[in-house]
Amino acid sequence: MLATAFEPCELPPQADALRQEIRQFLQEALKDYPRADRAHSWMGFSIAFTKALAERGWIGMTWPVEYGGGGQSALCRYVLAEELMAAGAPVLAHWTADRQSGPLILAYGTEAQKRHFLPPIVRGESYFCIGMSEPDSGSDLAAARTKAVRVEGGWRVSGTKLWTTNAHRCHYMITLVRTTPGSQRHEGLTQLIIPLHSEGVTVRPIRDLAGESHFNEVVFDEVFVPDDHLIGTEGQAWQQVMSELAFERSGPERYLSTVALLAELLRTVGPRPSVAVQSAIGNLVAHMVVLRQMSLSVAAQLDAHRDPALEAACVKELGTTLEQRMPELMHTLLDVQPSLQGDDDFARVLAYTMQVAPSFSLRGGTREILRGVIARGLGLR
Ligand SMILES: Cc1cc2nc3c(=O)[nH]c(=O)nc-3n(C[C@H](O)[C@H](O)[C@H](O)COP(=O)(O)OP(=O)(O)OC[C@H]3O[C@@H](n4cnc5c(N)ncnc54)[C@H](O)[C@@H]3O)c2cc1C
């Protein structure tokens, strides 16, 4: 049987000073940001906040300086991500590009693509979304049917992408398309960077359980995409997508997206909570500490250009399981009626978290799929 490769990982010496600097910045930048809105975590959207982060050099902070990046280690970015999540900062505008689209372009893009696409991301001006899921092809990505047909100077793309977070506010979608007619499963897939203002693109909002419409259906009707927007190797996108998913699945947002609820609980119970509350908090925090070590280990492996797909799947699966447990546990502990209305921040954060929690084990890969990845990675299947 194989084993996972989680290794102890220390933050670099400069991490403490960086953390203090980020905390000071966040205190000022978010001083008027309502506590209940912090429950939206990385799904919160603010161009002003994204631009303020960019001014500090905190977007693309691990990317090479020649593309506008900060040239710092992945563990420094980890500290930043942790502080942003802990504060419930509205990072969605740049989050996908910073987390995975930029690293994908760095790993597989041409020199011209790096010079064209990366600097505007770093400046907080260019936003990306992920075009993988389709109707009938969410978990089973290899069944993707959106097709790109060769034409002079590029491709014509037709098909539909589904559940595309933030597409209505993004400039580009990194889109998984089938470029080899008649190809099956993992073969013949390619990634194209599609400008979403192109003629033939329609973005339609989808309303979720909480009444919000942050994700979309995106229809491509014979959309022209120039040759130089193909990323990586034509027909070989499967491997690219798998490496992108490791970035998507392993960060602190996979166990800190409900931390606003814990913060509200601590504020509500005050310095002398009951033994039951103390014990529940201790239990949650102990789990979070372990998840943090696992997630840090994945960050270090990604930095070392290893392939921690199995470890990333473990972080996401265990992280979302913990996060889904939290609202019910908090509800039981305090017996507060969840409500999206009114002045009680705990009740509002609880109500919001209860409504969105079911999506945690869907977005970024469902629980069943991740367990399949883990079982295969461990040689059990
Ligand atoms: C909030 C949110 C944001 C999202 N954002 C994006 C985005 O930006 N871009 C994007 O591309 N996608 C996005 N998604 C889509 C997400 O990745 C898919 O919903 C997910 O992969 C599941 O696909 P599906 O909805 O088609 O369900 P299906 O694949 O139809 O699955 C339905 C159920 O069957 C189970 N199942 C399927 N196949 C198997 C199997 N082989 N073995 C066992 N069980 C199985 C699944 O686990 C699931 O419980 C988002 C989803 C959510 C909820």
Side-chain angles (χ1 to χ4, degrees), residues 265-323:
L265 176 84
L266 292 173
R267 206 182 48 78
T268 307
V269 296
R272 287 187 180 50
S274 67
V275 173
V277 172
Q278 285 181 41
S279 143
I281 292 172
N283 187 295
L284 284 174
V285 173
H287 276 91
M288 285 164 121
V289 169
V290 174
L291 280 161
R292 176 171 191 258
Q293 283 305 322
M294 294 168 71
S295 171
L296 269 169
S297 168
V298 177
Q301 292 183 52
L302 287 168
D303 209 23
H305 305 289
R306 304 227 292 271
D307 174 20
L310 163 62
E311 290 75 14
C314 293
V315 172
K316 181 170 185 293
E317 161 54 8
L318 293 172
T320 49
T321 300
L322 177 77
E323 293 211 299

Side-chain angles (χ1 to χ4, degrees), residues 221-277:
D221 182 11
E222 299 270 314
V223 176
F224 177 73
V225 182
D227 263 332
D228 59 4
H229 282 42
L230 187 153
I231 179 145
T233 309
E234 183 186 332
Q236 301 294 316
W238 188 254
Q239 192 48 44
Q240 297 175 199
V241 167
M242 289 304 115
S243 67
E244 191 183 336
L245 284 173
F247 283 99
E248 185 176 350
R249 289 175 173 164
S250 59
E253 67 266 44
R254 298 303 174 187
Y255 64 94
L256 285 179
S257 68
T258 49
V259 78
L261 189 54
L262 185 58
E264 286 312 311
L265 176 84
L266 292 173
R267 206 182 48 78
T268 307
V269 296
R272 287 187 180 50
S274 67
V275 173
V277 172

Side-chain angles (χ1 to χ4, degrees), residues 1 12 64 70 136 140 162 226 228 275 286 291 298 309 361 380:
M1 196 199 296
D136 306 321
D140 189 11
L162 203 56
D228 59 4
V275 173
L291 280 161
V298 177
S361 55
L380 300 170

